[in-house]
Amino acid sequence: MASLIEIKVPDVGNVENIDVVDVLVKPGDEVKLEQTLAILETDKASIDLPSSATGTVQELFIKPGDKVSEGRLIATVLVSDEAASVAAPAEPVQQVAAPAEKAPEPDSQPAVATPEPRQEISISSTSTHAAHATPAVRLFARELGVDINKITTGSGRKGRIVKDDVKNFVKKAMAEGVGQGGSGIPAMPAVDFSQFGEIEEQKLSKIKRLTGQNLCRVWLNLPMVTYHDEADITEMEAFRVALNAEKTKDDVKITGLVFIIKALVSAMEQFPQFNASLSADGENLIFKKYFNIGIAVDTPNGLVVPVLRDVNRKGINELTAELAEKSNKARLGKLMPAEMQGGCITISSLGGIGGTAFTPIVNAPEVAILGVTRAKMQPVWDGNAFVPRLMLPLDLTYDHRVIDGAEGARFMAAVKQYLGDIRRLLL
Ligand code: CAO
């Protein structure tokens, strides 16, 4: 003999229209005593509705998205008399969202212990895997852009997903890095290269891994445009050579990069939107009144970006010494984290190596980066004749959400003007 048990929403403390967020069973499923059948959610708490008997789900009367109140019939369960005799009273398990508040005490429901139909708790759904988490944890996951249903196992009670599970999910996704498809991007296939010839596998350095994750995040989040131009640095170079001729052999020599840093800061003073960052919600622009420039430095372990502070208040010699000190420290792996923070714009200079142009990636939350490649003598038409001029290629990548194309071009024109006539840096 078997009995059909009606399962209804119990009294969960004077709350009406409770959201059904998930139904974990379907008709025909065997359910065990205490097994969670469905999850309800108020704005304060998530409520697990465990089965109060072992049996077979016959019919379901609700689905995720429904709103239910006390007494609503949600399912019928066929219970053998044998099972019914060992059934225990069901108590919905409630988890309270932060800030903690006393959970309403649900009334115990009558046990499913006799052939009589009795009130109980359950809900059903078509979904086979559903996240089992409190509203606070769901909110936390939403804030991090995590689809909570992708977290398959929770470390909380009865497999419930807790905040640490969400954090670990994010950490794992970040560690998997570039190929592992944020924004629905398909993951890169794994290839066994040894089938084509001899190979050797080496672990990426920590700096390379972290830089890779950051670059990938920026690439996916920022609409970037790179604008290319050339600055005439013939006079600047003559001045630099003259200055270096005055130095002793133990002095640090001035490189063109220091003039580029000064020219960049003067252009930032003229165009404050380049010395700004978008607020995290993308609603506001935060203008900075300080002028700190990050310099990308190539090191044996990967790329690092020390920051030169208050460049607007420093002269060429001071900046030369500071750049030498910071780039040496970077190469020795001795930079402190604070020395790599607080940059306003970054310069990536490949000029010592070569190149004619490239497209650097913005070091967000900065809004622009200036790329520099190798200066070379070129015949330039001066209106009457071709004259030899030393031309420096510049590449300005900017976040197009903040900087318009015309602003980018005007900014670059200003940088070129300062480099073309460095006396203007004094104005
Ligand atoms: N055109 C022509 N020559 C240039 C030049 C340019 N744009 N930039 C530098 N040079 C010359 C220098 O004058 C120097 O010449 P000498 O040896 O005759 O004095 C030589 O190239 C080497 O310069 P440097 O690179 O040591 O010095 P720097 O001040 O120009 O740059 C630093 C310093 C730290 C930026 C650089 O050493 C470095 O690490 N560059 C790589 C940065 C990088 O990896 N960027 C890519 C990031 S990915 O976005």
Side-chain angles (χ1 to χ4, degrees):
M1 273 290 288
S3 315
L4 196 62
I5 309 287
E6 276 191 343
I7 300 181
K8 294 181 180 170
V9 177
D11 172 9
V12 287
N14 283 334
V15 192
E16 300 270 297
N17 294 322
I18 309 165
D19 289 319
V20 177
V21 290
D22 232 314
V23 184
L24 308 176
V25 292
K26 57 186 183 312
D29 279 1
E30 298 292 333
V31 290
K32 290 211 161 52
L33 179 70
E34 292 267 300
Q35 180 178 336
T36 301
L37 303 178
I39 302 168
L40 306 185
E41 202 170 272
T42 69
D43 58 347
K44 294 277 192 303
S46 168
I47 303 163
D48 276 9
L49 297 177
S51 173
S52 57
T54 298
T56 308
V57 177
Q58 289 295 289
E59 209 172 342
L60 285 161
F61 300 96
I62 55 167
K63 58 186 183 314
D66 284 356
K67 291 192 181 296
V68 295
S69 301
E70 182 188 349
R72 161 91 180 260
L73 178 64
I74 50 183
T76 48
V77 172
L78 194 64
V79 182
S80 71
D81 284 351
E82 205 176 281
S85 66
V86 296
E91 272 194 17
V93 179
Q94 193 165 76
Q95 301 230 346
V96 179
E101 217 173 74
K102 193 177 181 305
E105 286 279 324
D107 286 351
S108 291
Q109 298 305 307
V112 189
T114 74
E116 303 254 321
R118 48 210 68 187
Q119 214 176 28
E120 236 206 48
I121 330 141
S122 172
I123 307 171
S124 100
S125 113
T126 48
S127 114
T128 48
H129 168 67
H132 197 175
T134 62
V137 172
R138 286 172 187 280
L139 178 68
F140 180 63
R142 271 201 299 278
E143 281 171 355
L144 294 180
V146 171
D147 176 357
I148 202 161
N149 292 316
K150 290 201 172 138
I151 304 177
T152 46
T153 45
S155 58
R157 191 174 162 268
K158 291 190 182 170
R160 181 179 291 275
I161 295 162
V162 296
K163 272 192 182 177
D164 276 346
D165 298 321
V166 179
K167 284 185 199 160
N168 288 337
F169 180 84
V170 172
K171 273 189 209 150
K172 187 162 175 275
M174 294 293 288
E176 282 168 357
V178 178
Q180 297 302 307
S183 302
I185 295 170
M188 296 292 288
V191 177
D192 174 15
F193 297 101
S194 66
Q195 63 184 307
F196 308 118
E198 199 188 339
I199 58 164
E200 184 194 323
E201 202 161 332
Q202 275 181 12
K203 204 150 191 63
L204 283 180
S205 72
K206 195 171 171 206
I207 292 181
K208 269 231 150 83
R209 267 188 293 125
L210 293 175
T211 309
Q213 286 164 14
N214 189 42
L215 289 171
C216 190
R217 183 169 53 207
V218 174
W219 185 268
L220 291 171
N221 279 291
L222 269 63
M224 289 183 281
V225 174
T226 306
Y227 178 81
H228 308 281
D229 208 338
E230 286 178 329
D232 184 337
I233 58 164
T234 317
E235 269 83 43
M236 184 197 98
E237 178 64 6
F239 182 53
R240 186 184 77 89
V241 170
L243 284 177
N244 280 341
E246 293 167 12
K247 294 196 180 283
T248 66
K249 72 173 179 19
D250 294 331
D251 288 338
V252 182
K253 298 283 185 298
I254 297 168
T255 63
L257 186 55
V258 185
F259 289 98
I260 298 170
I261 294 169
K262 286 299 277 183
L264 182 64
V265 164
S266 292
M268 287 159 74
E269 286 175 323
Q270 217 177 312
F271 296 88
Q273 68 271 40
F274 281 82
N275 194 16
S277 286
L278 270 179
S279 60
D281 61 7
E283 299 278 327
N284 295 301
L285 202 53
I286 300 156
F287 291 93
K288 297 159 197 170
K289 308 290 181 192
Y290 51 87
F291 294 85
N292 299 341
I293 301 296
I295 304 293
V297 177
D298 177 37
T299 80
N301 284 327
L303 186 69
V304 291
V305 185
V307 172
L308 307 182
R309 291 182 192 279
D310 301 316
V311 170
N312 54 326
R313 296 199 212 133
K314 293 177 179 163
I316 295 290
N317 284 329
E318 192 177 353
L319 286 171
T320 298
E322 204 176 322
L323 176 63
E325 185 221 323
K326 290 269 158 60
S327 51
N328 279 339
K329 265 175 111 175
R331 290 192 177 108
L332 295 170
K334 296 208 162 137
L335 281 177
M336 291 289 126
E339 293 175 286
M340 294 182 273
Q341 289 166 359
C344 303
I345 283 194
T346 296
I347 296 179
S348 176
S349 173
L350 296 173
I353 304 167
T356 54
F358 72 118
T359 53
I361 297 175
V362 170
N363 190 12
E366 297 167 19
V367 294
I369 183 168
L370 186 69
V372 182
T373 49
R374 196 165 194 79
K376 67 172 188 246
M377 276 295 180
Q378 288 181 35
V380 175
W381 185 253
D382 72 356
N384 296 309
F386 281 104
V387 288
R389 305 296 294 174
L390 185 63
M391 303 304 289
L392 175 72
L394 299 170
D395 316 286
L396 178 74
T397 302
Y398 51 84
D399 181 343
H400 211 345
R401 294 172 304 173
V402 178
I403 311 288
D404 292 337
E407 288 172 334
R410 283 190 205 106
F411 182 79
M412 182 71 108
V415 173
K416 277 174 58 179
Q417 200 176 32
Y418 288 117
L419 289 173
D421 184 353
I422 53 170
R423 293 171 307 176
R424 289 178 181 275
L425 294 174
L426 299 171
L427 298 177

